[in-house]
Amino acid sequence: MNLLGDMEEVREEHKFNVSQLQKYLSGKLRVPSGELITVRQYSSGQSNPTFLVQSPAESFVLRKKPPGEYRVQKALFSAGFPVARPLLLCSDDAVIGTEFYLMEHVNGRIFRDIRLPGVSPAERAALYVAAVEVLARLHSLSLHELHLLDYGRGHAYCQRQVSTWTKQYQASAHQDIPAMSELSSWLGHNLPSHDDEVTLVHGDFRIDNLVFHPTEARVLAVLDWELSTTGQPMADLAYFLMPHYWPQELSLISTMGSLRGVQGVPIPEELTSVYRRCRGLECDLPPLNFHLALSVFKMAAIAQGVYARHLLGNASAPNAVEFGQIVEPLAKAALQLATGSLPGPESRLFLQSPQGQEVLRRVKDFMREHILPAQKEVAEYYERHTAASPQHWETPPVIEDLKVMAKGAGLWNLFLPAVSGLSQLDYAHIAEETGRCIYAPEVFNCQAPGNMEVLHMFGSEEQKKSWLEPLLRGEIRSCFCMTEPGVASSDATNMECSLRREGEQYVVNGTKWWSSGAGNHRCSIAIVMCKNSSTDHRHQQHSMVLVPLDTPGVTRVRPLTVFGQDDAIHGGHFEMQFDNVRVPLTNIILGEGRGFQIAQGRLGPGRLHHCMRAVGLAERSLELFCHRAAARQAFGKKLYQHEAVAHQMAEMRLLIDQSRLLTLSAAHALDTVGNRAARKQISMIKVAAARMVCHVVDCTIQVHGGAGVSGDFPLAQMYAYARTLRIADGPDEVHLSSIAQLELRDQLRTTRARL
């Protein structure tokens, strides 16, 4: 209890004779009689006022009216359980006007906000796990060995709790609240059948009643044993988990706010698993509905009591008046927990792992602090270096500097699970964030195409050493040469660029276009899709071969434009000519005739990453839409006040969230069932995300009017990217055909299974 911001001068109603206290303590502790001690009050604590007593040499914590607290802390301290060391108990009311006890001051961290602001998500997770481990340790202690068998009444704990808090509420109620009466009745008629287990229970176990080590995720002391007794341990666990189930609108009291969406805080299932492991429990825990409802009922009764003390003028809390406003909402929330289904793991699908959450937080910080502020400098670079400049196809220096910073920060090659340790689901959330800025993926070395994935999955050791390793280090770049101008490339079996074997070499001949990134001066290697087999099997006639771009016969014919833009920031999209280009046999990837096998392995994750970046781009577009609609006025009112614009805004939100969920579902499928089994989900999101982002950006252009198609806003560039997605990685029509075939197969398979 060392947070200076948690201290205040002793309130008038709680003042006592400090000199008399010093005289009493000087004969029992190392408190000097000559120099006066100082006393300050902790602003937290409602019923038992708590004070920091300091002498020049030592600091102590004093608690008034301590029935039972001193005894239980003394027993726990003797057993090695983390509590503040109890020093003395004074039953003489003449000293300060009431009973009190003194304990050692523990120097550590107390978090008054259960969301633990100011710590990383990884540390936040560790702190919550440490808290649950201490709770499990408490419940594992033997009452007999603690000499606390008579400390409470043990059995029928839940029944007594319902009765106790009902009476306490009724004694302090200032008005009739039907929801509280209904809740009390429900609890009384639905007592759990597993009410026979008896352990020592804290009664108010929450994160702000713990003192953590100053730098480690370790509990030094559990505080405030005022409500401790013996009884059902599930009550403590449910009380600790309660903020996970609170609606966010009930977060008026900062210490008991909602934990929903707080990065790093483990979900209830994870915390329950830790609790079970620490207690050595083999069977599942019983449902917590009753205990959660009881916990919220207790909070409502306490809030009513705090408000009642405010009305009487003797409340400890400075914000006591606010407590009266939350009693009824708490009761209604408890009734929902009591009679409804608790959110289970199925409602928390698609959450990142703790590592993924931590990386996402760092990526967001990096985006906000470094990448987004550099957008103006990047734009100015291309204004200075037009298409006629030899520097036009080079990466702007500011982006190169950002790449060095990102690499140094460990935010590098995040797309590749084997390197980053992230799942596809983890990376999907990160890809969405990087999609908000057109060049952000390159800063983290996560840009298209997916050649690094191809080499990682299918490359030989020699190929990995020669090309994958420098690609992963960011020393070189690559391009993918597949689409051809002379054939309908939507049917990849039409590819005509030839590959023939001559001795110890392959000879490549043909024309490719839309080879993205080929213009960048660092682009050193291309993966080229070639036709090389006379087999009749359409999907075994093609191979992929590595072609260094400095090989004789390789020509960058021309850069192509997308809606008039050359995409120089991505290295452009080039038409490439291969005239009798000779490469060693060792440059074949996986083997002859394996091109389509490689393509399928490459396109699954790659398409998914495109889709999540599209969701991020759509979110950025919607931001621009909302700002424009709120800032501009037409026909006597703001744009957003026109129903057509408001409905458009709502439709955009629907589309974005639908696409995000569908993409995360596909990412989850990739992680759990693999690329082949996830084909339908990947094809579905490829169509849905491309259509969605195209529509969202189009709406944003429309609300911007003429400015939307100008260079003053990024919307024209965003639209060019969005519209291209409906063709890149396969046109919508191809994916729709694939979805239909897979759906028909699944439906017929289900029908046969029923028969």
Side-chain angles (χ1 to χ4, degrees):
M1 302 170 75
N2 69 330
L3 301 183
L4 297 180
D6 198 31
M7 306 299 302
E8 58 183 16
E9 296 300 320
V10 178
R11 298 178 201 137
E12 191 64 35
E13 65 271 21
H14 296 145
K15 286 186 176 179
F16 51 82
N17 191 320
V18 176
S19 298
Q20 189 124 331
L21 174 66
Q22 180 162 1
K23 181 179 178 180
Y24 174 83
L25 296 179
S26 62
K28 295 177 172 56
L29 299 173
R30 290 182 298 171
V31 176
S33 56
E35 188 171 348
L36 285 178
I37 59 175
T38 60
V39 178
R40 300 191 71 195
Q41 185 168 1
Y42 286 97
S43 53
S44 59
Q46 310 304 330
S47 56
N48 280 8
T50 307
F51 307 86
L52 177 64
V53 179
Q54 292 180 296
S55 73
E58 293 191 66
S59 297
F60 312 97
V61 175
L62 183 151
R63 289 267 286 177
K64 286 184 176 181
K65 298 180 181 179
E69 287 193 52
Y70 181 80
R71 180 187 174 191
V72 73
Q73 282 194 231
K74 188 174 182 180
L76 289 169
F77 184 82
S78 297
F81 186 84
V83 292
R85 180 163 71 100
L87 301 173
L88 61 83
L89 172 67
C90 178
S91 302
D92 185 358
D93 290 355
V95 178
I96 65 170
T98 184
E99 288 181 285
F100 69 91
Y101 79 100
L102 221 65
M103 57 183 150
E104 194 175 58
H105 175 265
V106 179
N107 186 31
R109 294 179 291 170
I110 298 178
F111 296 94
R112 295 303 179 195
D113 188 333
I114 63 171
R115 296 165 296 188
L116 310 189
V119 304
S120 69
E123 185 180 10
R124 196 172 292 129
L127 290 168
Y128 265 88
V129 168
V132 169
E133 289 175 340
V134 165
L135 181 61
R137 182 180 171 189
L138 173 68
H139 293 162
S140 300
L141 293 173
S142 166
L143 291 172
H144 180 267
E145 293 177 4
L146 291 172
H147 305 290
L148 292 175
L149 284 172
D150 61 340
Y151 183 63
R153 294 167 62 185
H155 297 287
Y157 173 81
C158 294
Q159 181 179 358
R160 293 197 307 277
Q161 285 287 296
V162 173
S163 175
T164 297
W165 292 109
T166 297
K167 291 176 182 177
Q168 181 156 325
Y169 163 72
Q170 291 172 345
S172 59
H174 67 290
Q175 64 179 8
D176 180 48
I177 301 178
M180 285 293 284
S181 299
E182 182 182 352
L183 176 59
S184 174
S185 177
W186 185 93
L187 290 168
H189 288 90
N190 291 273
L191 295 170
S193 59
H194 57 278
D195 202 15
D196 291 331
E197 183 181 10
V198 176
T199 69
L200 182 63
V201 294
H202 182 274
D204 195 17
F205 192 86
R206 59 193 196 198
I207 208 78
D208 57 315
N209 272 336
L210 306 177
V211 181
F212 288 95
H213 188 279
T215 59
E216 300 172 12
R218 178 160 56 91
V219 177
L220 298 181
V222 180
L223 307 176
D224 197 352
W225 293 87
E226 177 188 0
L227 299 178
S228 62
T229 183
T230 57
Q232 171 55 248
M234 290 301 97
D236 266 351
L237 179 62
Y239 190 78
F240 183 73
L241 297 177
M242 177 174 53
H244 287 269
Y245 301 97
W246 271 32
Q248 292 186 350
E249 59 266 26
L250 294 183
S251 301
L252 294 178
I253 311 173
S254 63
T255 58
M256 291 304 295
S258 174
L259 286 174
R260 295 186 181 185
V262 179
Q263 288 189 3
V265 177
I267 62 176
E269 289 79 11
E270 293 171 333
L271 293 173
T272 301
S273 177
V274 172
Y275 177 88
R276 284 178 54 209
R277 173 178 56 79
C278 291
R279 287 200 64 192
L281 302 176
E282 295 182 0
C283 58
D284 291 336
L285 299 178
L288 293 178
N289 295 69
F290 174 90
H291 298 291
L292 285 166
L294 176 59
S295 297
V296 181
F297 178 59
K298 181 167 75 172
M299 278 303 302
I302 292 172
Q304 181 62 53
V306 173
Y307 183 67
R309 287 193 290 276
H310 160 73
L311 295 178
L312 294 173
N314 61 357
S316 296
N319 62 333
V321 66
E322 298 177 6
F323 284 69
Q325 304 170 18
I326 67 170
V327 177
E328 185 175 19
L330 283 175
K332 291 180 177 179
L335 283 169
Q336 290 181 349
L337 287 171
T339 58
S341 298
L342 295 183
E346 67 278 359
S347 67
R348 296 184 176 91
L349 285 176
F350 316 141
L351 286 182
Q352 290 179 293
S353 67
Q355 180 189 358
Q357 292 174 359
E358 169 63 12
V359 174
L360 177 60
R361 181 193 64 79
R362 291 165 55 205
V363 166
K364 285 184 174 181
D365 290 345
F366 197 95
M367 291 275 295
R368 183 183 65 256
E369 296 170 11
H370 305 295
I371 293 180
L372 298 179
Q375 290 180 104
K376 182 178 179 182
E377 186 173 348
V378 172
E380 290 174 347
Y381 175 89
Y382 287 105
E383 287 177 5
R384 292 195 308 270
H385 303 292
T386 61
S389 167
Q391 294 176 292
H392 183 65
W393 298 106
E394 295 184 8
T395 307
V398 63
I399 294 181
E400 294 293 350
D401 293 341
L402 289 172
K403 288 160 74 172
V404 173
M405 292 173 61
K407 192 173 184 179
L411 300 175
W412 195 251
N413 295 326
L414 303 176
F415 69 96
L416 196 58
V419 175
S420 66
L422 301 173
S423 67
Q424 293 295 342
L425 183 58
D426 284 332
Y427 181 66
H429 290 273
I430 296 166
E432 176 182 344
E433 184 64 26
T434 63
R436 296 172 62 86
C437 176
I438 206 76
Y439 58 81
E442 181 181 349
V443 171
F444 303 110
N445 208 39
C446 296
Q447 70 276 13
N451 289 347
M452 286 183 276
E453 289 167 306
V454 169
L455 289 169
H456 172 74
M457 290 187 290
F458 306 112
S460 67
E461 291 305 312
E462 179 185 344
Q463 292 166 354
K464 290 178 180 179
K465 184 172 182 62
S466 298
W467 304 110
L468 177 59
E469 291 180 10
L471 283 169
L472 290 172
R473 292 193 295 268
E475 297 168 355
I476 63 172
R477 294 179 59 170
S478 66
C479 63
F480 187 66
C481 300
M482 185 169 184
T483 308
E484 298 179 5
V487 298
S489 299
S490 57
D491 178 359
T493 62
N494 286 336
M495 300 296 162
E496 293 181 344
C497 181
S498 67
L499 182 75
R500 73 174 188 272
R501 180 171 178 169
E502 289 188 2
E504 295 301 311
Q505 292 182 321
Y506 285 115
V507 181
V508 181
N509 279 283
T511 303
K512 299 285 185 178
W513 68 347
W514 299 111
S515 299
S516 300
N520 189 278
H521 70 288
R522 285 189 179 176
C523 188
S524 305
I525 188 73
I527 295 180
V528 185
M529 182 80 153
C530 303
K531 188 172 183 178
N532 70 300
S533 176
S534 59
T535 179
D536 293 333
H537 197 296
R538 297 176 69 235
H539 292 97
Q540 295 179 4
Q541 297 177 348
H542 293 77
S543 302
M544 289 192 186
V545 64
L546 288 159
V547 178
L549 294 188
D550 59 359
T551 307
V554 178
T555 305
R556 295 177 174 87
V557 179
R558 60 179 177 129
L560 303 169
T561 60
V562 181
F563 291 103
Q565 301 185 37
D566 60 21
D567 271 354
I569 196 169
H570 292 142
H573 312 282
F574 273 69
E575 180 178 337
M576 306 288 292
Q577 186 67 39
F578 299 89
D579 292 323
N580 292 315
V581 175
R582 296 178 177 272
V583 296
L585 296 182
T586 53
N587 281 26
I588 197 79
I589 301 177
L590 198 58
E592 293 185 18
R594 310 289 290 274
F596 277 90
Q597 178 184 345
I598 298 169
Q600 290 305 310
R602 166 188 180 272
L603 290 175
R607 283 172 177 157
L608 189 67
H609 301 166
H610 273 311
C611 292
M612 279 312 287
R613 287 193 287 265
V615 173
L617 185 72
E619 286 285 4
R620 175 63 179 140
S621 178
L622 181 55
E623 285 179 12
L624 294 171
F625 183 103
C626 293
H627 285 297
R628 187 72 170 189
R632 287 299 174 109
Q633 183 168 316
F635 305 104
K637 53 186 177 180
K638 296 288 187 181
L639 292 182
Y640 73 86
Q641 294 174 322
H642 291 275
E643 189 175 51
V645 175
H647 285 187
Q648 239 179 6
M649 191 185 306
E651 292 287 352
M652 292 161 74
R653 169 51 60 203
L654 288 170
L655 289 171
I656 293 172
D657 284 359
Q658 289 167 1
S659 294
R660 175 184 293 108
L661 288 172
L662 191 56
T663 310
L664 293 175
S665 175
H668 178 70
L670 269 178
D671 286 331
T672 55
V673 298
N675 193 6
R676 182 175 179 80
R679 283 181 301 162
K680 185 163 70 172
Q681 289 97 320
I682 294 169
S683 291
M684 287 165 62
I685 189 52
K686 175 62 180 65
V687 175
R691 287 179 174 178
M692 174 277 296
V693 69
C694 200
H695 177 74
V696 167
V697 176
D698 184 66
C699 290
T700 306
I701 289 173
Q702 194 70 14
V703 83
H704 279 74
V709 293
S710 74
D712 293 349
F713 290 87
L715 293 167
Q717 186 181 29
M718 290 165 69
Y719 185 81
Y721 171 79
R723 186 60 185 85
T724 303
L725 278 183
R726 296 189 60 195
I727 301 171
D729 288 338
D732 290 357
E733 293 80 5
V734 171
H735 290 292
L736 289 170
S737 295
S738 178
I739 295 167
Q741 292 172 7
L742 292 169
E743 181 65 21
L744 182 62
R745 180 204 64 183
D746 293 344
Q747 292 287 352
L748 294 178
R749 182 180 295 166
T750 301
T751 302
R752 285 194 296 270
R754 288 173 180 167
L755 295 175

